Amino acid sequence: MNLKNYNKTERELLSKIKREIDRPINFMEVCGTHTVAISSFGIRQAMDKRLKLLSGPGCPVCVTPEEDIDLAISLAKQKDVIIVTFGDMMRVPGSNSSLERERANGRDIRVVYSPLAGLKLAQVERQKKVVFLGVGFETTAPTIAACIILARKNKIDNFFVLPLFKIIPPALRKICQAPQLKIDGFILPGHVSTIIGSKPYEFLVSDFHKPCAIAGFLALDILEGIYLLLRQLKTSPKVEIQYRRSVRPEGNIQAQKIMAEVFQVTDSVWRGIGLIEKSGLLFQSEYQNFDARQHFDLPPIKTKTNLACRCGDVLLGLITPFDCKLFAKTCNPEHPVGPCMVSSEGACQAYYKYEYRQ
Amino acid sequence: MHRLIKEMFLKYFSNPVLARLGDSAEITKPKNRIAFTTDGYVVQPIFFPGGDIGKLAVCGTINDLAVSGASPKYLAVSFIIQEGFPFVHLEKICQSMAKTAKEAKVKIVAGDTKVIENREAQTGQQKNGAEIYIITTGIGIYPPFMKDYSLGVEKIKPNDLVLINGGIGEHETAIILAREEFEFKAEVKSDCAPLNQLISDLLLICPRIRFMRDPTRGGLATTLNEIVESTNLGIIIDEQAIIIKPAVKGICELLGFDPLYLANEGKVVIITARTEGEKLLARMRKDKLGKEAKIIGEVVKKPKGVWVRTKLGSLRPLLMLEGQQFPRIC
């Protein structure tokens, strides 16, 4: 095949990028959708090898710790409970089991594509308690908050949410503080930034002098994001919005308001990273009756961690999936050991699917 | 049951062989080799844009025969129906099967119906109402010019071309949308269609096509992987040559699916000698099922396996699908 025919704009941008690279550089793409896009567009193969693109903690399933999966499983075992969840959660291994395995054992666990479907189910199954697993970032939290407001308005008292939400900027602060990390710039998430805007990232520039670009999800968007970062390295760091067709500096104010109405910020444990201050969401006191943690009497969770699994290091950009000893040996999409191999947005699955060849 | 046979099956599938209502259908022994295949259909929902379980059951078996180079002639149909299944639905399915069979010039010459108990309905656990499953078995006859030739992966050689008769992922996308588990709507129709006419026309102008397969479950990616697995060769496909309708692309982006792994029901992947490529392409484009036909790739000695040449010109591997695709969270 003749390469001359290939997309001119993208190839031109690629050569412009190559001209800017004069030393080893590490950029982190924070969002899982970016990770998949980089792998599937073949950006890494086309890139100068001195520029490394490392995946960050931007896949919601991947950063959910084992104890939260165990908690969800213990909820599924309660009498008259229906667990509703996004599909990616089903196969994530907890200490001893997964939701998929529990469903096979007869627990009532259903996959939905929107929290509203869970609310509708609660309206039909009045005698059951419907618990939605609240996993996600600033992208999903507003829709779930809207759902909760609706549940309160319609006086639905058998719908609950297990709040496992995470928010992105505090995790980035943690990454910048890690001494072993050498990240020269961040490709920031397009979807999350559509909600929160560009301002919450300003500290990356003021406190850590890191170049930042909020990018879209096409090959051209990502390449342009990389180019902006390289230019900033030579001039001065700032938070630039490449993904202008979706992101405004102030973000989506309406979504932010709904989120603040229902949730408050709390400390949260991230898989592989540990506790990060003010990086999670909890119900505001007037919405506490929707909190599954408050409503159910849950046993204390004893978590067993698979020590060989290095998803934590992958999430921090310390290693690439190829560096993990389990990768493509005991861990593959059919039999995943860690969450990064389970989720379609996980770095390990993206590398396995698009970059690995036996 | 007698009423059902008379009012439904004889009415819609009428032909002299079936009308005899014997225990077996009697057909005359053909001069040439025959192809013989069977498949079961359990699709949910049973009606979807672009088709229904009946059309799918007829097309699926016809296409399996057609891609082996045979010309499909006869079908046997077996229905397994849960009690309480609406008569009007059955009638609609039979009409659609009859229409598709007629279009494809295939006769439905034998059939069976079993009504089974509906335990879920009795215990109130049924989610989708009474169900129906259809099994179709088909016989095809190879044309005289294929007397001493079988299509097969062993015929594939380096430098061969890979063709497909149009865009990918439409059937599975239509099914995903028809399940109404999502809050969004889009205009996507299943590509479900009988391919025998198109394929027989192609074989007439190019009797030595190396290999054909319909990329159904697992999509184009899985089919290409199955092909190279037993050849020790590689296939490189060109990302830019593959047609993915905007609606299919949009749904895939929203859910985190890869259209290369989505099922098709009216597509055929053809591998042919490079010299025959343009001729086949031109012929395909004359057919209503091949208007958007494309040469999408080539067979290579190295690298082995299936590869995608991306927009940027880089090569990335394309693996077999591992397990089910789950929609992503954000």
Side-chain angles (χ1 to χ4, degrees), chain B residues 138-151:
Chain B
I139 291 179
I141 302 171
Y142 287 98
F145 57 81
M146 284 187 70
K147 197 168 162 238
D148 305 310
Y149 183 79
S150 297
L151 286 86

Side-chain angles (χ1 to χ4, degrees), chain A residues 1 6-7 10-11 40-43 45 61 86 88 91 113 139 333-334 345 352-354 356-357, chain B residues 181-182 236 238 240 258 298 306 309-312 314-319 322 326-330:
Chain A
M1 264 174 250
Y6 280 85
N7 214 311
E10 277 135 359
R11 293 191 59 79
S40 72
F41 293 138
I43 290 180
Q45 286 94 322
V61 169
F86 292 128
D88 324 35
R91 301 176 66 198
Y113 303 95
T139 37
E334 217 166 339
E345 299 270 277
Y352 187 97
K353 236 173 116 180
Y354 299 116
Y356 166 72
R357 172 59 73 185
Chain B
E181 287 163 338
F182 303 101
I236 299 178
D238 179 354
Q240 299 204 108
D258 186 338
E298 59 185 346
V306 183
R309 174 81 65 194
T310 70
K311 266 191 212 173
L312 305 175
S314 52
L315 274 187
R316 68 162 170 88
L318 186 65
L319 301 184
E322 316 274 344
F326 277 122
R328 63 147 184 261
I329 291 180
C330 77

Side-chain angles (χ1 to χ4, degrees), chain A residues 299-327:
Chain A
I301 303 288
K302 261 194 212 151
T303 303
K304 253 193 338 202
T305 308
N306 185 334
L307 292 173
C309 169
R310 297 189 67 190
C311 277
D313 293 339
V314 170
L315 291 169
L316 280 170
L318 291 174
I319 61 166
T320 73
F322 293 139
D323 302 323
C324 174
K325 284 208 175 85
L326 305 185
F327 183 83

Side-chain angles (χ1 to χ4, degrees), chain B residues 166-223:
Chain B
I168 60 165
E170 288 149 35
H171 174 70
E172 195 160 340
T173 308
I175 295 291
I176 290 171
L177 288 172
R179 284 189 184 142
E180 291 184 343
E181 287 163 338
F182 303 101
E183 304 281 318
F184 43 81
K185 300 254 178 292
E187 294 281 318
V188 183
K189 268 191 185 169
S190 164
D191 58 343
C192 178
L195 292 163
N196 53 328
Q197 202 53 54
L198 169 71
I199 290 175
S200 99
D201 290 348
L202 296 178
L203 281 169
L204 274 178
I205 61 157
C206 177
R208 291 299 176 259
I209 286 175
R210 314 262 206 225
F211 184 74
M212 291 186 275
R213 179 159 289 171
D214 44 341
T216 53
R217 187 182 302 181
L220 181 62
T222 305
T223 294

